[in-house]
Amino acid sequence: MSLRFHIHTYGCQMNVRDSEAVAAMLAAAGHVRAEGEEDADLVIVNSCTVRQKAEEKAVGKVGNLIAAGKIVGLAGCAAERMGEEVFRRLPKLHFAVGPRQLWRIPAIVAEFESAPPGRRPRRVLAVGAGELPRGLDAHLAAADGSFAAVQSYVTVMVGCDNRCSYCIVPSVRGREWCRPETEIVAEVKCLAARGVKEVCLLGQSVLRYRGDGGRAFPHLLRELQEVEGLERIRFTSAHPAGCTEELIAAYRDCPKVCRHLHLPVQSGSDRILKSMGRRYDRAEYLDAVARLRAFDPEFALTTDVIVGYPGETDEDFEATRSLMEEAGFDNAFVFKYSPRPGTRAAEMADDVPAAEKERRDQVLLADQERRGLERNLRLVGSLRAVLTEGPSKRNRERWSGRDSGNRIVVFPPVDGVSVGDEVKVRVAEAHAQILVGEVVK
Ligand code: 5AD
Ligand code: SF4
């Protein structure tokens, strides 16, 4: 029997990619994608647990879906963290599957749908981050249309061996493991043959990637540069230790590799960075930034910052503020510290009051709003090479796309330009989050 399924995704790009792989596996098993969750028989919530709030959202969502009488599965990081406990919180949940067990979903679903209603398994739990994942290369046919055919995520490594004090990820996504280069290149070739123009390579700390014979990440970039039909290569997330001369040389030699790096800094205070176990200090971080910007002054940098980490003083916070200014981030994501069970930081007192975390969050956001605008104003009058994505989300009468620096560029549509084409846009207007201009023929 074929079920109509829907997958609801929380969290990072890794989860977006995992959801797509699960969708592809379910489609291969004969199930069909529903229009939305209302008309689905099976709904899977792919969850995040990086902060307590993220986990609560997923659990709340699952509760509502169960009440609506669907077959419901909780997948991803929150499922892995909660394990057996998930069924105490959600007694009617049908199945829970951790990030490394997602490939089991089609078989689990088969158990539910093939058994007569009275003989269905009551519940299935598939967790354990020790196993190697499978099905990482499953992609939906481009014809399905539900995932952008212009861009695609490609998982190059799973898990994480960094032990940042605050982070739950290593315990839910397991040890670091890199896919073989040959497999990744074959996958990207296959995507490019289907019309995908841009790939984003995913790993928790992607610059730690090691390919055949221990070759470092820049070698993979050089291999992908040769893939016919592919126009752009992005990757995320990065650590300053990986910003080597070898990486910069790959940027220089590979025009397809986009000039943007998401380089989470987390804090600008050496004391806090040390407690976090980040393995760089402020000076080393800023040195990586300086080398990237010396190579290309327009090189775009984005970051993640945590405010209210245990023991973060006003002085530590001001150090973060000044680092963000010195680094000149093009965009920043600010997170309020949330203690995660089992992490080293959770042993420390969560001593910054909620109101103070909120204040620091707002201050950094306001700083970034101003800085983003300033940085974008410098691009007014310049020509951006924009990969067209189609009608803009905010204003359907305009089209949008991104430049090499991942900046969103909005422009009035012109005849003869279709989704996936690269156009040159002259920037006329700058805002903190977008550039506006017109296509130059
Ligand atoms: N509390 C708040 N933010 C966190 N992040 C990771 N763990 C926590 C936590 N316990 C943030 C980091 C990371 C981003 C994905 O989430 O900034 O880069
Ligand atoms: Fe992604 Fe981390 Fe959330 Fe898991 S816990 S979905 S790895 S952000």
Side-chain angles (χ1 to χ4, degrees), residues 117-282:
R119 312 236 333 250
R120 281 180 184 170
R122 209 160 75 80
R123 55 175 63 155
V124 177
L125 177 68
V127 289
E131 255 177 89
L132 286 187
R134 302 191 208 170
L136 290 173
D137 58 353
H139 285 268
L140 281 176
D144 177 280
S146 19
F147 286 88
V150 179
Q151 292 136 316
S152 190
Y153 289 123
V154 172
T155 301
V156 301
M157 58 195 296
V158 298
C160 187
D161 285 351
N162 291 327
R163 290 267 156 199
C164 304
S165 64
Y166 49 83
C167 188
I168 189 92
V169 172
S171 74
V172 291
R173 287 199 174 250
R175 298 295 306 264
E176 217 165 79
W177 178 75
C178 300
R179 293 177 65 201
E181 271 171 311
T182 46
E183 215 179 287
I184 297 165
V185 173
E187 181 176 336
V188 173
K189 279 187 177 157
C190 172
L191 290 168
R194 280 190 200 169
V196 168
K197 303 274 189 260
E198 176 180 311
V199 291
C200 180
L201 312 176
L202 299 179
Q204 293 299 340
S205 195
V206 82
L207 300 181
R208 283 164 63 103
Y209 177 83
R210 284 287 178 274
D212 316 340
R215 282 193 297 242
F217 184 70
H219 184 266
L220 179 62
L221 294 178
R222 290 174 187 273
E223 299 251 299
L224 296 177
Q225 167 67 31
E226 302 307 319
V227 174
E228 215 170 299
L230 185 70
E231 288 176 15
R232 288 181 171 190
I233 303 163
R234 299 186 188 279
F235 49 88
T236 198
S237 215
H239 184 280
C243 298
T244 56
E245 287 313 311
E246 199 187 345
L247 179 72
I248 293 178
Y251 274 119
R252 183 175 292 118
D253 298 342
C254 305
K256 292 180 184 175
V257 178
C258 292
R259 305 276 172 98
H260 164 233
L261 203 54
H262 184 64
L263 196 60
V265 67
Q266 314 299 1
S267 171
S269 154
D270 281 342
R271 206 176 63 82
I272 299 290
L273 286 171
K274 187 142 198 245
S275 166
M276 285 177 164
R278 292 291 293 170
R279 295 177 295 107
Y280 55 80
D281 60 19
R282 178 188 176 98

Side-chain angles (χ1 to χ4, degrees), residues 272-322:
I272 299 290
L273 286 171
K274 187 142 198 245
S275 166
M276 285 177 164
R278 292 291 293 170
R279 295 177 295 107
Y280 55 80
D281 60 19
R282 178 188 176 98
E284 284 164 328
Y285 184 92
L286 287 171
D287 179 59
V289 168
R291 281 182 292 116
L292 291 164
R293 291 257 170 79
F295 157 65
D296 176 356
E298 281 187 4
F299 198 101
L301 283 168
T302 56
T303 202
D304 291 342
V305 173
I306 297 176
V307 291
Y309 180 84
E312 187 186 64
T313 61
D314 253 325
E315 200 183 324
D316 294 319
F317 171 67
E318 289 302 327
T320 298
R321 267 187 101 178
S322 71

Side-chain angles (χ1 to χ4, degrees), residues 42-46 62 65-66 70-75 93-97:
L42 163 69
V43 183
I44 295 171
V45 175
N46 197 7
V62 166
L65 290 164
I66 291 172
K70 317 274 185 193
I71 300 180
V72 184
L74 180 71
L93 177 67
H94 295 98
F95 60 92
V97 184

